[in-house]
Amino acid sequence: MTQLIWNGLFVGSFYALIALGYSMVYGIIKLLNFAHGDIYMLGAFIGFATLSSFGIIPASMSITALLLVLLLTMIITGGIGVGIERLAYRPLRNSPRLAVLITAVGASFTLEYGVSAIAGPNPRVFPVRLQGQTFDVLGARISAPQIVLMFVAVILMLSLNSYIQRTSMGRAMRAIALDPKGSLLMGINVNKVITWTFFIGSALAGAAGVMAGAYYGKIDFLMGFIIGLKAFTAAVIGGIGNIKGAMLGGLLLGLLEAFGSQWLGGQWRDVFTFAVLIAFLTLKPTGLLGERVTERV
Amino acid sequence: MKLRIPKTVTMAAVAATILATTACGGILGGGDEKTADSGPIKIAAVIPLSGSSAPTGVFMKNGMQMAIDEINAKGGVLGRQLQFDPEDEACDPTQAAAAANKAVSNGAVVSVGGYCSGATLPTLPIFEKANIPMIIPAANSQDLVNQKLPNVFLINGTGVQQAAAAVKFMVKDGVKTVALVDDNTSYSKDIATQTKKDLETDGNVKVALSTSVTAGESDYSSVVHDIMGANPDMLYWTGYYQEGGLIINQLKAAGYTGKIMVADGSVDASLIKIAGAANAEGVFATMTQTPDTIKGAETWIADYTKKFGSAPGPYSTQSYDAVRVAAEAITKAGSTDGDKVIAALQAIDGFQLFSGPLKFTPEHTLTNGGFQILVVKDGKFALQDDLS
């Protein structure tokens, strides 16, 4: 039981990190950025490339090296997110919503098969593997790497939350989410804010990618697809466009999956997950934390 | 702004049309010549070159290319060069049917493709109608055999043969309870259900857990949790190496101390890398012969690595063999006529493959599945038991 809860929370924190980017982008420009899961994949590959270029890393330095690579990757994937917005989404911002959605799917495939063409279609094994002791907590086995990764995820989420609540850029984001035209008239540089939103969202997804690579060890060019859909589900559960909702939704989805596959069997895990998505979309499309008139972001 | 978009679209369309017509022209031009009994002999392969199975598709393509280049360097077959025509099926039945039709219209004489059983099935009637013999190197679902088509030959052991080998080893090794985990694909399910059936008939080993996972994910903690709960003597994983490696890694992290065995789809150096060398040590595998377990295959591996810049992966040897079998059959038939080649394939006896001497059963499968048990030793697959 405790093991199930812990497993759920651990996977859920990955979902939450990625769901944040989905939610922020949707909150501001009402776009479902389907390429977001692939930014996660890209993060894993960039982390892989940088770590490999370091040569052999002594085990004692691996955590430091990983954190360094994490930061670097966040900057690069953030930049790529901005680039995608500039190239694929901004020219279509005044087009019908469907056109942008299709572009997003196109961007997703471009990233997937672009990486496959550059890095090859074979799965790669991450050069640095997080290893450590395991502890017994209330009957659950918890390993040191899991604690480290959860800690990093929580720090990232908390700092994002305070960034959006406390800074002027965060205030601008919230303003645009409420009323883009009004914000423009009030002198907010809407393009700049949207760029920042993409940067932050993509940086978080990239961080999740590096963390997943270091923990699970295997990365491949299609790894972003399913997790992207799950992060989207998490965002919907929590109330899409709502930052706290995305975090809550991610953790909740992790728990739902852990318990769902325990009750129904492993092969039903994704059926269960996406059935929950359908249930939410039909019964409570605003999600758990969304209100009818919601302040998005 | 409004004007620019249609313009780009038009330009793209024009460019695409030009590209498409030139490509078609090239193919059609080549096609006209080869219908005669001169010019290159076309060998088609419908294999996954995109999608989730693309990694294996590339190994297969390389293996086939290597055989074709070798045969061509020796002067080809019947004095004609072989020409390779790989078509992408993306492990998808619809795309596979389209790819097979394209291969037929390109003038294929023999097909050496077939990886995903589900995608290979719809290609069978297409090649059958065109009277093109198929030598299937990897796909091995019993469904392929059950079609009873005269042109279909399997040079990979079937799931039934693999399951029998697995059960034989479990009994021999004194395993009392076993957990069967598959990845819900036709190949994997085939072995898992057959193993379960065989175990129930045998009665010596109890199935403690039988479940499936979704391929392509990173976190398998739920299945790990189930296995830990069932506490079997052995886990038999019948899926592919990507998930297999993750499951082994996560099982060991969860403190599993029982035995682990994997099926041939998991036999790849990547399994050990993904699982971690220490975790993979002692993992058993049911496998047909591979270059790693055949003496004298070192040169083959070295040639492959030199040619393609990476080590051979799963099914590269079978694909290499498929082309050689095709060439052998055409040579023996003395013609590229479908009926004659099929007759020549049926008559093959003792042609040396990686998996041993070849002779087809009346069902057009291998007489002997050639399955043996490997074990991971010092970070490499080594022979544990040849089950003879």
Side-chain angles (χ1 to χ4, degrees):
Chain A
M1 184 74 170
T2 358
Q3 185 73 58
L4 281 181
I5 295 175
W6 170 252
N7 286 349
L9 287 178
F10 178 69
V11 181
S13 57
F14 277 98
Y15 293 162
L17 263 186
I18 305 168
L20 283 171
Y22 256 110
S23 233
M24 285 171 72
V25 168
Y26 184 82
I28 287 194
I29 56 172
K30 311 281 175 294
L31 159 71
L32 289 176
N33 181 10
F34 275 116
H36 194 68
D38 297 301
I39 299 273
Y40 159 86
M41 176 272 294
L42 216 55
F45 270 88
I46 292 168
F48 170 81
T50 22
L51 277 173
S52 309
S53 66
F54 283 176
I56 295 159
I57 299 158
S60 56
M61 290 292 290
S62 62
I63 293 274
T64 333
L66 259 183
L67 285 178
L68 210 73
V69 167
L70 191 78
L71 269 179
L72 190 73
T73 307
M74 285 174 77
I75 294 169
I76 300 175
T77 50
I80 291 171
V82 170
I84 291 172
E85 192 269 335
R86 190 72 192 80
L87 288 173
Y89 302 151
R90 191 176 294 179
L92 292 169
R93 200 176 291 157
N94 296 320
S95 319
R97 199 84 67 78
L98 189 62
V100 196
L101 196 68
I102 293 169
T103 320
V105 174
S108 161
F109 283 137
T110 309
L111 289 179
E112 282 171 11
Y113 288 94
V115 168
S116 154
I118 296 167
N122 302 338
R124 296 302 183 93
V125 179
F126 228 62
V128 172
R129 237 4 196 309
L130 278 177
Q131 265 149 0
Q133 277 178 289
T134 46
F135 310 100
D136 242 7
V137 181
L138 300 169
R141 281 176 69 97
I142 296 176
S143 69
Q146 288 182 322
I147 296 174
V148 171
L149 291 187
M150 284 274 271
F151 183 71
V152 175
V154 168
I155 296 277
L156 287 174
M157 288 193 255
L158 288 182
S159 32
L160 173 70
N161 197 42
S162 63
Y163 180 78
I164 283 174
Q165 294 302 329
R166 303 236 171 97
T167 63
S168 60
M169 183 56 81
R171 197 178 310 129
M173 285 177 184
R174 285 179 287 143
I176 294 176
L178 269 179
D179 184 355
K181 250 190 200 130
S183 320
L184 191 66
L185 292 173
M186 292 305 286
I188 295 176
N189 186 343
V190 175
N191 276 339
K192 192 177 149 203
V193 176
I194 291 176
T195 301
W196 258 114
T197 311
F198 268 87
F199 184 86
I200 295 172
S202 305
L204 289 178
V210 176
M211 284 156 62
Y215 179 70
Y216 295 114
K218 185 209 75 169
I219 60 173
D220 67 273
F221 70 99
L222 287 173
M223 67 191 277
F225 177 68
I226 289 186
I227 205 162
L229 287 180
K230 293 215 170 140
F232 168 65
T233 310
V236 169
I237 290 177
I240 192 153
N242 185 310
I243 286 294
K244 289 199 181 95
M247 298 182 206
L248 179 73
L251 296 180
L252 221 57
L253 185 68
L255 288 173
L256 273 173
E257 274 191 10
F259 282 93
S261 50
Q262 170 74 5
W263 291 327
L264 300 169
Q267 62 268 51
W268 290 95
R269 175 165 138 170
D270 287 357
V271 179
F272 184 69
T273 306
F274 295 117
V276 167
L277 172 67
I278 296 171
F280 260 92
L281 286 174
T282 38
L283 300 175
K284 197 168 183 341
T286 48
L288 290 177
L289 294 188
E291 291 155 28
R292 207 162 57 84
V293 181
T294 175
E295 182 200 35
R296 295 197 167 88
V297 164
Chain B
M1 203 60 197
K2 273 267 153 73
L3 270 171
R4 254 171 60 196
I5 294 166
K7 215 179 197 175
T8 2
V9 171
T10 328
M11 273 169 66
V14 169
T17 323
I18 292 170
L19 274 175
T21 38
T22 32
C24 281
I27 288 160
L28 288 177
D32 286 340
E33 289 162 37
K34 58 92 273 290
T35 35
D37 276 342
S38 60
I41 298 174
K42 286 231 169 142
I43 308 267
V46 178
I47 44 177
L49 296 174
S50 65
S52 57
S53 297
T56 317
V58 172
F59 289 134
M60 294 177 69
K61 189 176 145 214
N62 289 349
M64 293 167 184
Q65 188 69 56
M66 201 164 143
I68 284 182
D69 290 349
E70 279 178 18
I71 293 167
N72 281 343
K74 284 182 195 149
V77 175
L78 306 178
R80 294 157 67 182
Q81 292 281 293
L82 297 181
Q83 196 182 347
F84 189 33
D85 178 22
E87 298 289 344
D88 183 19
E89 45 108 308
C91 206
D92 171 68
T94 326
Q95 284 204 46
N101 278 319
K102 194 169 160 225
V104 171
S105 67
N106 281 356
V109 168
V110 182
S111 156
V112 292
Y115 172 67
C116 297
S117 297
T120 308
L121 262 176
T123 68
L124 301 190
I126 296 169
F127 285 116
E128 203 249 337
K129 212 167 262 171
N131 203 22
I132 294 173
M134 296 178 77
I135 300 158
I136 301 178
N140 60 1
S141 166
Q142 201 59 33
D143 292 341
L144 300 168
V145 182
N146 292 344
Q147 306 291 311
K148 297 194 168 49
L149 295 177
N151 65 321
V152 176
F153 294 83
L154 269 64
I155 59 162
N156 188 19
T158 58
V160 175
Q161 288 167 328
Q162 177 151 201
V167 172
K168 195 171 173 187
F169 182 68
M170 286 173 198
V171 174
K172 203 170 167 183
D173 203 47
V175 172
K176 289 280 161 249
T177 52
V178 64
L180 299 170
V181 182
D182 63 73
D183 68 1
N184 253 335
T185 60
S186 170
Y187 148 78
S188 174
K189 203 101 197 159
D190 206 28
I191 300 171
T193 24
Q194 189 62 40
T195 308
K196 196 173 172 191
K197 220 186 277 170
D198 288 2
L199 287 175
E200 277 158 9
T201 330
D202 184 82
N204 278 314
V205 185
K206 224 179 108 240
V207 178
L209 172 76
S210 167
T211 187
S212 313
V213 299
T214 315
E217 303 203 351
S218 298
D219 197 281
Y220 289 106
S221 48
S222 53
V223 75
V224 164
H225 187 81
D226 291 347
I227 297 169
M228 295 303 285
N231 194 23
D233 292 346
M234 179 186 266
L235 159 72
Y236 188 33
W237 161 249
T238 62
Y240 298 95
Y241 62 89
Q242 309 196 17
E243 291 78 25
L246 291 172
I247 290 174
I248 293 171
N249 181 295
Q250 290 168 29
L251 255 181
K252 293 282 178 171
Y256 177 77
T257 50
K259 292 170 183 164
I260 299 172
M261 185 154 79
V262 297
D264 59 348
S266 281
V267 177
D268 185 273
S270 300
L271 178 90
I272 298 162
K273 275 199 236 154
I274 294 169
N279 293 332
E281 201 66 16
V283 167
F284 297 113
T286 46
M287 183 63 185
T288 46
Q289 283 186 310
T290 66
D292 294 333
T293 60
I294 302 167
K295 278 187 191 147
E298 292 85 0
T299 20
W300 190 86
I301 299 176
D303 287 351
Y304 181 104
T305 313
K306 196 174 149 205
K307 193 168 167 96
F308 301 107
S310 64
Y315 297 114
S316 39
T317 51
Q318 283 93 336
S319 304
Y320 174 82
D321 278 343
V323 173
R324 287 174 54 238
V325 170
E328 167 78 6
I330 296 171
T331 313
K332 282 271 161 66
S335 147
T336 54
D337 177 68
D339 290 329
K340 287 183 186 155
V341 177
I342 290 171
L345 280 168
Q346 281 168 334
I348 281 184
D349 191 356
F351 184 70
Q352 200 61 35
L353 300 186
F354 276 109
S355 60
L358 173 68
K359 175 160 178 54
F360 287 110
T361 62
E363 278 190 308
H364 293 181
T365 56
L366 294 180
T367 322
N368 177 358
F371 280 99
Q372 49 189 7
I373 304 295
L374 308 184
V375 67
V376 179
K377 209 167 151 194
D378 302 324
K380 270 176 129 174
F381 281 103
L383 188 64
Q384 164 81 13
D385 188 342
D386 60 9
L387 293 181
S388 53

